[in-house]
Amino acid sequence: MASWILYLLPVILFAYPSSAARPQALVTPLTKDPQTLQYLARFNQRTPSIPLNLVVDLGGRYLWVDCDSHYVSSTYHPTPCHSSLCSLESSEYFCDYCFSSPRIGCKDNTCGVWPDNPFARTNNPGELGVDALSLFSTDGSNPSFPISDPSFLFSCAPGFLTRGLAAGASGIAGLGRTRAAPPSQLAAKFSFRRRFALCLPSTQRGTSGALFFGPGPYNFLPGIDASQSLLYTPLLSNPVSIAGSYSAGEPSYEYFIGVTAIKVGDTVLSLNKTLLTIDKKTGYGGTKISTAVPYTTLETSIYKSLTSAFAAALANVTRVAAVAPFEFCYDAKGFGSTRVGPAVPAVNLVLQSEAVYWTIFGANSMVEAADGVLCLAFVEGGRRTMTSIVIGGFQLEDNLVEFDLGYSRVGFSSTLLFRRTTCSNFNFSSSTR
Ligand SMILES: *[C@@H]1O[C@H](CO)[C@@H](O)[C@H](O)[C@H]1NC(C)=O
Ligand SMILES: *[C@@H]1O[C@H](CO)[C@@H](O)[C@H](O)[C@H]1NC(C)=O
Ligand SMILES: *[C@@H]1O[C@H](CO)[C@@H](O)[C@H](O)[C@H]1NC(C)=O
């Protein structure tokens, strides 16, 4: 019996869903929650299918949902303990037992894992299961028909693990570099390269951005293919996991890139280069991209260097009282406006060569923290912060960022405002209607 299950499960996981046509790529809307500043993606799950809002966590190892509140589905199956699906997730699994009457998310001898909530810095045991999951197929310009994966692997979690998430969120869509996270699972099921792209919306300029799985184009109205603006930098690996739950010796499944220098306008910041590189023994240092922090967070010495260069350049603008968590705030009337936001010096994150840099213009460096007050949207992470530079949500808004796991690289567009479009300009009207 056991060997039957072991043999069948990988086939179920990787079998091509026969009921559906093969999609070119998949797309789903992303929204920003104004209270928590979290970004939510829409996934349809279960049979009958219901829409779920899941908080996007680039560093999360799989998708998890609250199975305590009214989980009804005819297609849910727990994964047996010691099955190959169980070890696919990672080596961290254990055998779960249910101490109440069995229900979805609570059954004896199932594969137990540790769903993680980085927003509340907590995790809890949960059951690994499979259920139908659907997203819209896309040609890169519109969504067309829904495509279903009948056996998508995810984790059930207790209801209280959604504490700290945006109102209405049923869990977290972890998009990390694991085989169980949606980018790899969907790529395997639908035979496309392991690749996804994130275009986060900004509250000022629109309502919903877009999350794509699979290849481009990524077309935004009026007919702009943002994949044409991408520059690429290698994805770096951090051999030491820094997540909330992991097994000893496990590499990080987060997205690290190699920032080698930072410029504010023409000024090259003087930085401690040790902080910019990943220490292969401890996992400290380096730069990662994260949707779990709302603003880019910098190790103290980097923060001081960047803010003092910025403050010097803004010496002529009236500084006003700080608005937490920001320190450098100014009277908004002191800034000219440009297509790419308030007129301030650009911040350039220099990558693998002088010629490859990620430019952060005013729209992504200055936030309106109070009426008529613009603040420098970077926060101090402390001296012993594990990752020196964490590029956060606000700096990613209205930028297209492509995570290409197959080619181990990250593509970034810098602001789409230069191209006269935004992440909210994906045309979500269905092309099949
Ligand atoms: C640079 O940072 C490393 C790691 O935090 C630290 O050990 C070293 O003392 C720093 N060097 C200087 C010159 O501050
Ligand atoms: C500040 O204003 C003065 C006088 O208008 C000008 O000479 C100076 O260059 C300005 N400094 C900066 C940093 O813009
Ligand atoms: C959005 O897509 C729909 C369906 O293809 C199309 O009818 C509509 O004209 C598009 N909207 C714009 C503004 O182009």
Side-chain angles (χ1 to χ4, degrees):
M1 180 61 194
S3 60
W4 258 100
I5 291 166
L6 284 178
Y7 177 75
L8 277 176
L9 280 167
V11 178
I12 294 169
L13 180 66
F14 291 111
Y16 184 73
S18 54
S19 57
R22 181 178 158 173
Q24 181 186 321
L26 303 168
V27 70
T28 197
L30 285 173
T31 52
K32 182 175 186 179
D33 174 60
Q35 256 68 52
T36 57
L37 309 180
Q38 293 163 4
Y39 303 90
L40 297 147
R42 174 73 62 86
F43 288 81
N44 301 296
Q45 199 207 27
R46 312 175 195 181
T47 307
S49 171
I50 60 161
L52 300 177
N53 283 319
L54 302 178
V55 177
V56 172
D57 176 16
L58 273 176
R61 67 194 315 157
Y62 39 65
L63 186 149
W64 65 257
V65 306
D66 165 12
C67 290
D68 281 351
S69 27
H70 199 67
Y71 194 116
V72 178
S73 179
S74 60
T75 43
Y76 178 84
H77 298 287
T79 59
C81 191
H82 303 307
S83 64
S84 52
L85 265 188
C86 193
S87 50
L88 171 83
E89 193 284 308
S90 83
S91 51
E92 64 150 7
Y93 74 88
F94 56 92
C95 285
D96 207 6
Y97 293 92
C98 185
F99 299 104
S100 57
S101 50
R103 59 192 152 83
I104 286 179
C106 192
K107 194 167 184 293
D108 282 348
N109 279 312
T110 54
C111 181
V113 292
W114 287 93
D116 183 40
N117 177 343
F119 302 93
R121 293 173 194 268
T122 172
N123 59 27
N124 202 80
E127 174 180 289
L128 200 64
V130 296
D131 205 343
L133 182 109
S134 74
L135 291 169
F136 278 88
S137 70
T138 183
D139 59 0
S141 297
N142 294 93
S144 46
F145 42 89
I147 295 280
S148 178
D149 173 350
S151 54
F152 187 87
L153 187 70
F154 72 105
S155 169
C156 271
F160 63 79
L161 201 62
T162 59
R163 195 168 49 86
L165 300 186
S170 316
I172 288 186
L175 301 178
R177 297 167 80 175
T178 64
R179 287 163 67 196
S184 294
Q185 258 198 88
L186 295 169
K189 301 267 176 69
F190 299 113
S191 328
F192 39 69
R193 194 159 90 220
R194 293 189 300 142
R195 176 160 57 164
F196 69 102
L198 199 64
C199 208
L200 296 179
S202 68
T203 30
Q204 293 86 357
R205 286 175 295 275
T207 47
S208 65
L211 170 61
F212 301 90
F213 294 99
Y218 312 114
N219 288 323
F220 293 82
L221 293 170
I224 289 154
D225 177 5
S227 69
Q228 301 296 313
S229 322
L230 296 177
L231 289 178
Y232 291 94
T233 192
L235 252 179
L236 303 184
S237 57
N238 184 337
V240 185
S241 180
I242 55 173
S245 61
Y246 57 90
S247 321
E250 192 181 49
S252 171
Y253 38 80
E254 299 195 61
Y255 296 96
F256 285 83
I257 57 172
V259 171
T260 53
I262 302 178
K263 290 185 196 170
V264 173
D266 294 329
T267 311
V268 181
L269 303 184
S270 104
L271 302 176
N272 178 346
K273 299 279 175 183
T274 309
L275 295 169
L276 297 182
T277 46
I278 298 166
D279 183 318
K280 302 276 180 195
K281 283 205 186 67
T282 63
Y284 272 74
T287 300
K288 71 175 180 184
I289 304 173
S290 172
T291 51
V293 295
Y295 301 97
T296 294
T297 305
L298 304 169
E299 181 278 338
T300 296
S301 67
I302 302 175
Y303 173 82
K304 292 206 181 306
S305 184
L306 180 126
T307 52
S308 58
F310 226 92
L314 300 184
N316 282 358
V317 183
T318 310
R319 198 163 157 193
V320 299
V323 181
F326 310 109
E327 189 181 348
F328 291 86
C329 296
Y330 299 88
D331 181 349
K333 289 194 290 292
F335 298 96
S337 85
T338 72
R339 194 194 299 162
V340 292
V344 293
V347 176
N348 284 318
L349 305 178
V350 182
L351 296 158
Q352 69 271 30
S353 81
E354 279 285 314
V356 183
Y357 45 86
W358 183 325
T359 304
I360 301 170
F361 292 103
N364 295 104
S365 63
M366 302 299 290
V367 61
E368 186 169 7
D371 267 354
V373 176
L374 283 175
C375 301
L376 183 56
F378 291 84
V379 298
E380 183 174 349
R383 293 252 175 225
R384 285 300 292 163
T385 182
M386 199 140 187
T387 302
S388 306
I389 302 175
V390 182
I391 301 176
F394 186 76
Q395 276 69 34
L396 302 173
E397 291 176 2
D398 289 323
N399 286 237
L400 182 86
V401 188
E402 181 186 77
F403 298 86
D404 191 331
L405 289 78
Y407 286 2
S408 275
R409 62 182 189 175
V410 175
F412 56 94
S413 66
S414 291
T415 183
L416 295 177
L417 301 178
F418 251 142
R419 304 221 34 213
R420 297 180 185 272
T421 190
T422 72
C423 285
S424 299
N425 279 354
F426 185 76
N427 184 349
F428 273 105
S429 307
S430 171
S431 59
T432 57
R433 244 181 255 140

